[in-house]
Amino acid sequence: MFESVLDKLKAARKIVFVTGAGMSQESGIPTFRGKDGLWRNYDPMKIATIDAFYENPKLVWEWYEDRRKNIVAAQPNPGHNAIAELERYKEVVVLTQNIDGLHQRAGSTKVLELHGSIIRIKCTVCSFQDYIVSSFDMLPPLCKCGKILRPDVVWFGEPLPQDVWTEAIAHANSCDVMIIAGTSLLVSPANTLPLYAKQNNALLIEINPEDTMMSVDMNLTIRETCSNIIPELTEMFSKLN
Ligand code: APR
């Protein structure tokens, strides 16, 4: 599968993964725009914007609580595990659009969450932030300051956390290989990360059963699923070492 780019992979010092919902699809978590994607059944402007939240915080919270329970019950898949294992052979950084925490649960030690995390909450007014450990007695939950708590995720129209984004660009600018796995690359600014890597002459590899916005810009496109292909990559490195 990787023969055509083997030399560059061998010589690579730093590998950066840009991942999306397709990475967790084989863990039973739906994508957004795929056949049974979430946005097929829900209007993102009615459930994933700050205006929608203030219009009906209970509805938004119920939706996120359903997703969180599904995510907490899910397990990292062979794709997640293989990325974590790759750290034995190379410097690996994961820039993920996913809010499910499955990369970290698989053991990846360097993960930047571009769109936040569904297992974290923050106050809409004060600086309170915390991890969700159990279900809430009531929805929407209130902060000890009395204001509404919200999921610590990035909604449409909101900026990414500046420190995370700045660091993500730095990694994209300094990688030798960028593997774009399980994302349609339809959402910005995450979809600009391959452009930074390309400017740095990094090798671009896409793993996705379907074409994406940037398939033409890739050095190698693999029309396969993450769970099938990424373990092959890690195994190849294990044999090289
Ligand atoms: N392995 C690899 N790729 C897969 C798999 C799989 N098992 N299953 C689906 N895919 C691919 C699809 O072909 C599609 O290109 O994953 C991609 C998922 O695309 P989207 O549903 O658009 O998800 P994503 O790119 O992560 O969306 C970006 O949009 O809705 C917002 O904030 C949300 O982070 C999300 C962002």
Side-chain angles (χ1 to χ4, degrees):
M1 190 59 72
F2 298 100
E3 295 72 29
S4 64
V5 292
L6 197 53
D7 294 344
K8 277 210 165 178
L9 283 171
K10 277 186 190 166
R13 185 185 38 78
K14 178 174 178 176
I15 298 180
V16 166
F17 284 83
V18 173
T19 69
M23 185 79 229
S24 298
Q25 184 266 334
E26 293 158 290
S27 294
I29 299 172
T31 67
F32 295 95
R33 297 170 187 82
K35 183 164 54 50
D36 311 318
L38 291 169
W39 299 150
R40 303 262 171 185
N41 307 314
Y42 299 92
D43 175 354
M45 295 306 117
K46 292 234 170 37
I47 204 115
T49 65
I50 190 70
D51 295 343
F53 179 70
Y54 282 122
E55 200 176 305
N56 191 340
K58 189 164 185 300
L59 174 80
V60 171
W61 260 111
E62 282 166 351
W63 191 67
Y64 275 91
E65 277 299 275
D66 277 356
R67 288 181 63 197
R68 184 175 65 84
K69 289 182 181 127
N70 181 30
I71 284 169
V72 169
Q75 293 301 323
N77 61 51
H80 296 109
N81 297 334
I83 293 177
E85 200 194 327
L86 194 55
E87 291 186 13
R88 289 194 203 158
Y89 313 112
K90 296 288 179 182
E91 180 189 353
V92 175
V93 177
V94 179
L95 309 177
T96 188
Q97 298 167 87
N98 298 343
I99 60 175
D100 56 34
L102 288 178
H103 284 297
Q104 295 95 321
R105 282 170 54 192
S108 284
T109 59
K110 187 74 187 158
V111 180
L112 295 185
E113 297 175 310
L114 304 173
H115 296 163
S117 169
I118 201 168
I119 57 172
R120 273 199 319 264
I121 48 177
K122 64 182 180 182
C123 180
T124 49
V125 175
C126 77
S127 60
F128 173 79
Q129 266 191 326
D130 201 355
Y131 281 88
I132 305 174
V133 282
S134 58
S135 294
F136 299 100
D137 302 338
M138 64 169 219
L139 294 177
L142 298 182
C143 177
K144 41 187 185 299
C145 77
K147 302 299 181 189
I148 296 183
L149 291 170
R150 57 167 285 177
D152 188 8
V153 297
V154 177
W155 282 323
F156 289 99
E158 292 188 316
L160 276 56
Q162 191 53 49
D163 53 340
V164 174
W165 182 238
T166 304
E167 194 182 340
I169 293 174
H171 287 302
N173 275 334
S174 60
C175 66
D176 305 297
V177 176
M178 179 174 277
I179 300 178
I180 297 107
T183 176
S184 60
L185 291 173
L186 286 171
V187 169
S188 69
N191 61 358
T192 64
L193 290 166
L195 301 176
Y196 287 100
K198 197 169 179 85
Q199 275 164 8
N200 186 46
N201 296 320
L203 176 75
L204 297 187
I205 299 176
E206 181 176 72
I207 299 173
N208 194 319
E210 293 173 19
D211 268 3
T212 71
M213 292 272 292
M214 285 190 69
S215 295
V216 289
D217 301 295
M218 301 293 162
N219 301 103
L220 176 64
T221 54
I222 305 174
R223 295 280 162 260
E224 258 284 1
T225 69
C226 292
S227 278
N228 283 346
I229 288 301
I230 305 178
E232 254 191 59
L233 177 72
T234 300
E235 199 197 335
M236 185 192 76
F237 278 114
S238 69
K239 291 202 180 100
L240 288 174
N241 271 267

